[in-house]
Coordinates of all heavy atoms in Angstrom, one line a residue:
E381 N -124.5 -75.2 24.6 CA -123.5 -74.3 24.2 C -123.4 -74.4 22.7 O -122.9 -75.4 22.1 CB -122.1 -74.6 24.8 CG -122.1 -74.3 26.3 CD -120.7 -74.5 26.9 OE1 -119.8 -75.2 26.2 OE2 -120.4 -74.0 28.0
R382 N -124.0 -73.5 22.0 CA -124.1 -73.5 20.5 C -122.8 -73.1 19.8 O -122.4 -72.0 20.0 CB -125.3 -72.6 20.1 CG -125.6 -72.6 18.6 CD -126.4 -73.8 18.3 NE -126.9 -73.8 16.9 CZ -127.6 -74.8 16.4 NH1 -128.0 -75.9 17.1 NH2 -128.0 -74.7 15.1
K383 N -122.2 -74.1 19.1 CA -121.0 -73.8 18.4 C -121.2 -73.0 17.2 O -121.9 -73.5 16.3 CB -120.3 -75.1 18.1 CG -119.5 -75.8 19.2 CD -118.5 -76.9 18.7 CE -119.2 -77.9 17.8 NZ -118.2 -79.0 17.4
T384 N -120.8 -71.8 17.2 CA -121.1 -70.9 16.1 C -119.8 -70.5 15.4 O -118.8 -70.1 15.9 CB -121.7 -69.6 16.7 OG1 -122.9 -69.9 17.3 CG2 -122.0 -68.6 15.6
L385 N -119.9 -70.7 14.0 CA -118.8 -70.3 13.2 C -119.0 -69.0 12.6 O -120.0 -68.8 11.8 CB -118.6 -71.4 12.1 CG -117.3 -71.1 11.2 CD1 -116.0 -71.1 12.0 CD2 -117.3 -72.2 10.1
L386 N -118.2 -68.0 13.0 CA -118.3 -66.6 12.5 C -117.4 -66.5 11.3 O -116.2 -66.8 11.4 CB -118.0 -65.7 13.6 CG -117.8 -64.2 13.3 CD1 -119.1 -63.6 12.7 CD2 -117.4 -63.4 14.5
V387 N -117.9 -66.0 10.1 CA -117.1 -66.0 8.9 C -117.2 -64.6 8.3 O -118.4 -64.1 8.1 CB -117.5 -67.0 7.9 CG1 -116.6 -67.0 6.7 CG2 -117.5 -68.4 8.5
M388 N -116.1 -64.0 8.0 CA -116.1 -62.7 7.2 C -115.9 -63.1 5.7 O -115.0 -63.8 5.4 CB -115.0 -61.8 7.6 CG -115.1 -61.3 9.1 SD -113.5 -60.5 9.6 CE -113.2 -59.4 8.3
V389 N -116.8 -62.6 4.9 CA -116.7 -62.8 3.4 C -116.7 -61.5 2.7 O -117.3 -60.5 3.1 CB -117.7 -63.7 2.9 CG1 -117.7 -65.1 3.6 CG2 -119.1 -63.1 2.9
E390 N -116.0 -61.4 1.6 CA -115.9 -60.3 0.7 C -116.3 -60.7 -0.7 O -116.5 -61.9 -0.9 CB -114.6 -59.6 0.7 CG -114.1 -59.1 2.1 CD -112.7 -58.5 2.1 OE1 -111.8 -59.1 1.4 OE2 -112.5 -57.5 2.8
F391 N -116.5 -59.8 -1.6 CA -116.9 -60.1 -3.0 C -115.8 -59.7 -4.0 O -114.9 -59.0 -3.6 CB -118.2 -59.4 -3.3 CG -119.3 -59.6 -2.3 CD1 -119.6 -58.7 -1.3 CD2 -120.0 -60.8 -2.3 CE1 -120.6 -58.9 -0.3 CE2 -121.0 -61.0 -1.3 CZ -121.3 -60.1 -0.4
S392 N -116.0 -60.2 -5.2 CA -115.0 -59.9 -6.2 C -114.9 -58.4 -6.5 O -113.8 -57.9 -6.9 CB -115.3 -60.6 -7.5 OG -116.5 -60.3 -8.0
D393 N -115.9 -57.7 -6.2 CA -115.9 -56.2 -6.4 C -116.2 -55.4 -5.2 O -116.5 -54.2 -5.3 CB -117.0 -55.9 -7.5 CG -118.4 -56.3 -7.1 OD1 -118.6 -57.0 -6.1 OD2 -119.4 -55.8 -7.7
A394 N -116.2 -56.0 -4.0 CA -116.4 -55.2 -2.8 C -115.7 -55.8 -1.6 O -115.8 -57.0 -1.4 CB -117.9 -55.1 -2.5
S395 N -115.0 -55.0 -0.8 CA -114.3 -55.5 0.3 C -114.6 -54.6 1.5 O -115.2 -53.5 1.4 CB -112.7 -55.4 0.1 OG -112.4 -56.1 -1.1
F396 N -114.3 -55.1 2.7 CA -114.5 -54.3 3.9 C -113.7 -53.1 3.9 O -112.5 -53.1 3.4 CB -114.1 -55.2 5.2 CG -115.0 -56.3 5.5 CD1 -114.6 -57.6 5.2 CD2 -116.3 -56.1 6.1 CE1 -115.5 -58.7 5.5 CE2 -117.1 -57.1 6.4 CZ -116.7 -58.4 6.1
L397 N -114.2 -52.0 4.4 CA -113.4 -50.7 4.4 C -112.2 -50.9 5.3 O -111.2 -50.3 5.0 CB -114.3 -49.6 4.9 CG -115.6 -49.3 4.1 CD1 -116.4 -48.2 4.7 CD2 -115.1 -48.8 2.7
D398 N -112.3 -51.6 6.4 CA -111.2 -51.9 7.3 C -111.4 -53.3 7.8 O -111.9 -53.5 8.9 CB -111.2 -50.9 8.4 CG -109.9 -50.9 9.3 OD1 -109.2 -52.0 9.2 OD2 -109.6 -50.0 10.0
A399 N -110.9 -54.3 7.1 CA -111.0 -55.7 7.4 C -110.4 -56.0 8.8 O -110.9 -56.8 9.6 CB -110.4 -56.6 6.3
D400 N -109.3 -55.4 9.1 CA -108.6 -55.6 10.4 C -109.4 -55.2 11.5 O -109.5 -55.9 12.6 CB -107.2 -54.9 10.4 CG -106.2 -55.5 9.4 OD1 -106.4 -56.7 9.1 OD2 -105.2 -54.8 9.1
A401 N -110.1 -54.1 11.4 CA -111.0 -53.6 12.5 C -112.2 -54.5 12.7 O -112.6 -54.8 13.8 CB -111.4 -52.2 12.2
V402 N -112.7 -55.0 11.6 CA -113.9 -55.9 11.7 C -113.4 -57.2 12.3 O -114.1 -57.7 13.2 CB -114.5 -56.2 10.3 CG1 -115.6 -57.2 10.3 CG2 -115.0 -54.9 9.6
K403 N -112.3 -57.7 11.9 CA -111.8 -59.0 12.5 C -111.5 -58.8 14.0 O -111.6 -59.8 14.7 CB -110.6 -59.4 11.7 CG -110.1 -60.8 12.0 CD -109.2 -61.4 10.9 CE -108.9 -62.8 11.1 NZ -108.1 -63.4 10.0
A404 N -111.1 -57.7 14.4 CA -110.7 -57.4 15.8 C -111.9 -57.3 16.7 O -111.9 -57.8 17.8 CB -109.8 -56.2 15.9
S405 N -113.0 -56.7 16.1 CA -114.2 -56.3 17.0 C -115.3 -57.4 16.9 O -116.0 -57.6 17.9 CB -114.7 -55.0 16.6 OG -115.3 -55.0 15.3
T406 N -115.5 -58.0 15.8 CA -116.7 -58.9 15.6 C -116.7 -60.1 16.5 O -117.8 -60.4 17.1 CB -116.8 -59.3 14.2 OG1 -116.8 -58.1 13.3 CG2 -118.1 -60.1 13.9
P407 N -115.6 -60.8 16.8 CA -115.7 -62.0 17.7 C -116.1 -61.6 19.1 O -116.8 -62.3 19.7 CB -114.2 -62.5 17.7 CG -113.7 -62.1 16.4 CD -114.3 -60.8 16.1
D408 N -115.7 -60.4 19.5 CA -116.1 -59.9 20.8 C -117.6 -59.6 20.9 O -118.3 -59.8 21.9 CB -115.3 -58.7 21.2 CG -115.3 -58.4 22.7 OD1 -115.3 -59.4 23.5 OD2 -115.4 -57.3 23.2
T409 N -118.2 -59.2 19.8 CA -119.6 -59.0 19.7 C -120.4 -60.3 19.9 O -121.5 -60.3 20.5 CB -120.0 -58.3 18.4 OG1 -119.4 -57.1 18.2 CG2 -121.5 -58.2 18.3
Y410 N -119.9 -61.4 19.4 CA -120.5 -62.7 19.5 C -120.2 -63.4 20.8 O -121.0 -63.9 21.5 CB -120.1 -63.5 18.3 CG -120.8 -63.2 17.0 CD1 -120.5 -62.1 16.3 CD2 -121.7 -64.1 16.5 CE1 -121.1 -61.8 15.1 CE2 -122.3 -63.8 15.3 CZ -122.0 -62.6 14.6 OH -122.7 -62.4 13.4
F411 N -118.9 -63.4 21.1 CA -118.4 -64.4 22.2 C -117.8 -63.7 23.4 O -117.4 -64.4 24.3 CB -117.4 -65.4 21.6 CG -117.9 -66.0 20.3 CD1 -117.2 -65.7 19.1 CD2 -119.0 -66.8 20.2 CE1 -117.6 -66.3 17.9 CE2 -119.4 -67.3 19.0 CZ -118.7 -67.1 17.8
G412 N -117.7 -62.4 23.4 CA -116.9 -61.7 24.4 C -117.6 -61.8 25.8 O -118.8 -62.1 25.9
T413 N -116.8 -61.4 26.8 CA -117.3 -61.3 28.2 C -118.0 -60.0 28.5 O -118.5 -59.9 29.6 CB -116.2 -61.6 29.2 OG1 -115.2 -60.6 29.0 CG2 -115.6 -63.0 29.0
K414 N -117.9 -59.0 27.6 CA -118.5 -57.8 27.8 C -120.1 -57.9 28.0 O -120.6 -58.9 27.4 CB -118.2 -56.8 26.7 CG -118.7 -57.2 25.3 CD -118.3 -56.1 24.3 CE -118.9 -56.5 22.9 NZ -118.6 -55.5 21.9
K415 N -120.7 -57.0 28.6 CA -122.1 -57.2 29.0 C -123.0 -57.2 27.7 O -124.1 -57.7 27.8 CB -122.5 -56.1 29.9 CG -122.5 -54.7 29.4 CD -123.0 -53.7 30.4 CE -123.0 -52.3 29.9 NZ -123.5 -51.3 30.9
D416 N -122.6 -56.6 26.6 CA -123.4 -56.5 25.5 C -123.0 -57.5 24.3 O -123.2 -57.2 23.2 CB -123.6 -55.1 24.9 CG -122.2 -54.4 24.6 OD1 -121.2 -55.0 24.9 OD2 -122.3 -53.3 24.0
S417 N -122.4 -58.6 24.7 CA -122.1 -59.6 23.7 C -123.2 -60.5 23.6 O -124.1 -60.7 24.5 CB -120.8 -60.4 24.1 OG -121.1 -61.3 25.1
L418 N -123.3 -61.2 22.4 CA -124.3 -62.2 22.2 C -124.3 -63.3 23.3 O -125.3 -63.8 23.8 CB -124.1 -62.8 20.8 CG -125.2 -63.9 20.4 CD1 -126.5 -63.2 20.1 CD2 -124.7 -64.6 19.1
A419 N -123.1 -63.8 23.6 CA -122.9 -64.9 24.6 C -123.4 -64.4 26.0 O -124.2 -65.2 26.6 CB -121.5 -65.3 24.7
S420 N -123.1 -63.2 26.4 CA -123.5 -62.7 27.7 C -125.1 -62.5 27.7 O -125.7 -62.9 28.7 CB -122.8 -61.4 28.0 OG -121.5 -61.6 28.1
F421 N -125.6 -62.0 26.6 CA -127.1 -61.8 26.5 C -127.8 -63.1 26.7 O -128.7 -63.2 27.5 CB -127.4 -61.1 25.2 CG -128.9 -61.1 24.9 CD1 -129.7 -60.2 25.6 CD2 -129.5 -62.0 24.1 CE1 -131.1 -60.1 25.4 CE2 -130.8 -61.9 23.8 CZ -131.6 -61.0 24.5

């Protein structure tokens, strides 16, 4: 079970267009129970 630290970073001159949406969706892409998550794959 590989402990993975997922980190969102921005730059002094560039930010996410919608940081809240990224923060809400990205953990599920990595660790979610949905069939197309990294953990499920």
